[in-house]
Amino acid sequence: MRRRTRAGLGMLGGTRDDDPLANVANLFEAGILLALGFLVALISALNLLTMFDADSKVTITTEKSDGSLEIVVKEGRKTTIRRMTKQVGSGDGTRLGVAYRLADGTVIYVPESQE
């Protein structure tokens, strides 16, 4: 009788590990797991878990190199982005109405009558 190795192949018959493309799927899976690990680490390091909470209010302020400011405000499910610059606007225009800020912070615009 002939002896067989663990893989069930003969001594000179080769093994299943001879195919160089056999481990490509394993490398792909390892890459996906590594990317997901980095994503989870980034979210927890930047304390962004509250961004996914539907009842939270989050404000993120970013100042760019040209001096402009970007403010991202997330209130519940509504997200607004405000971009501000240091330039002061000027010019000729027509008064359209009056804006009032209420105690809760909301702004109400009241147009002037068309007389």
Side-chain angles (χ1 to χ4, degrees), residues 88-96:
V88 177
S90 64
D92 295 327
T94 306
R95 182 178 171 143
L96 298 175

Side-chain angles (χ1 to χ4, degrees), residues 68-85:
S68 63
L69 194 65
E70 182 176 273
I71 301 172
V72 179
V73 178
K74 180 199 164 284
E75 294 181 80
R77 296 186 183 272
K78 181 181 176 185
T79 303
T80 57
I81 299 173
R82 300 179 184 129
R83 291 181 179 90
M84 301 178 196
T85 62

Side-chain angles (χ1 to χ4, degrees), residues 10-87:
M11 295 287 266
L12 299 175
T15 62
R16 293 181 188 158
D17 296 331
D18 288 342
D19 186 14
L21 295 177
N23 292 324
V24 171
N26 292 339
L27 290 175
F28 179 75
E29 291 173 2
I32 292 293
L33 287 175
L34 186 65
L36 286 175
F38 281 136
L39 182 64
V40 169
L42 177 69
I43 288 173
S44 64
L46 295 177
N47 294 327
L48 293 178
L49 293 175
T50 55
M51 287 291 287
F52 301 113
D53 186 14
D55 299 327
S56 66
K57 179 179 178 181
V58 179
T59 304
I60 300 174
T61 305
T62 306
E63 185 174 353
K64 297 186 179 179
S65 61
D66 61 352
S68 63
L69 194 65
E70 182 176 273
I71 301 172
V72 179
V73 178
K74 180 199 164 284
E75 294 181 80
R77 296 186 183 272
K78 181 181 176 185
T79 303
T80 57
I81 299 173
R82 300 179 184 129
R83 291 181 179 90
M84 301 178 196
T85 62
K86 293 183 179 181
Q87 298 174 346

Side-chain angles (χ1 to χ4, degrees), residues 98-102 106-110:
V98 180
Y100 296 97
R101 182 181 309 270
L102 300 179
T106 58
V107 177
I108 296 177
Y109 168 71
V110 180

